């Protein structure tokens, strides 16, 4: 089973420990609701814990494989796109997980894209509240 399929299985089974073998230590996660990426395995695993609790009826519905230019090194690397459907607070989400792999086949860069805008907003609110509650990110309301 390749990395993308192992990742899919880990997500569907809510198996966060499996991510240790699938992500590089310096994995970078680009979120649809936060400008700055999440960097490093601990931050990305923390985010995934929140996401797995936030999404309702999460399921993968398709996959494409190819190559893509990575943001980290600029070169083309093996990549996979996993299409998903889910809901957040009753709003249906259509999304794509874009996985880019290093030379050993581990995920080094991960980008999520979702639609529609109303679902992006609901996802952003739910995930931000959970990330703040768990101390993964600072409270944006505390700035000032």
């Amino acid at each position: 089973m390749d990395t993308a399929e192992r990742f899919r299985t880990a997500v569907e089974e809510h198996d966060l420990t499996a991510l240790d073998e699938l992500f590089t230590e310096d994995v970078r996660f680009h979120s649809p609701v936060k400008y700055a990426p999440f960097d490093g395995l601990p931050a990305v695993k923390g985010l995934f814990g929140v996401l797995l609790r936030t999404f309702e009826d999460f399921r993968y519905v398709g996959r494409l494989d190819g190559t893509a230019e990575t943001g980290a090194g600029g070169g083309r690397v093996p990549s996979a796109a996993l299409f998903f459907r889910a809901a957040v607070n009753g709003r249906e989400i259509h999304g794509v997980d874009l996985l880019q792999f290093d030379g050993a086949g581990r995920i080094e860069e991960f980008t999520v894209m979702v639609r529609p805008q109303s679902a992006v907003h609901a996802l952003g609110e739910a995930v931000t509240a959970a990330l703040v509650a768990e101390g993964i990110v600072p409270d944006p309301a505390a700035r000032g």
Side-chain angles (χ1 to χ4, degrees), residues 4-84:
E5 280 304 309
R6 290 173 49 216
F7 171 78
R8 176 183 180 153
T9 299
V11 169
E12 291 174 341
E13 294 178 357
H14 290 215
D15 182 2
L16 288 175
T17 59
L19 300 180
D20 291 333
E21 298 176 5
L22 302 176
F23 289 137
T24 61
E25 284 295 318
D26 60 348
V27 62
R28 175 166 273 188
F29 183 98
H30 300 279
S31 165
V33 298
K34 184 176 176 280
Y35 179 76
F38 291 85
D39 287 320
L41 186 57
V44 172
K45 277 186 64 177
L47 174 62
F48 266 90
V50 167
L51 291 172
L52 292 176
R53 289 189 302 276
T54 302
F55 282 121
E56 305 152 14
D57 190 30
F58 185 94
R59 64 211 176 277
Y60 284 108
V61 297
R63 174 179 170 173
L64 294 174
D65 293 292
T67 61
E69 185 176 300
T70 179
R76 296 184 73 78
V77 298
S79 302
L82 301 176
F83 302 92
F84 65 85

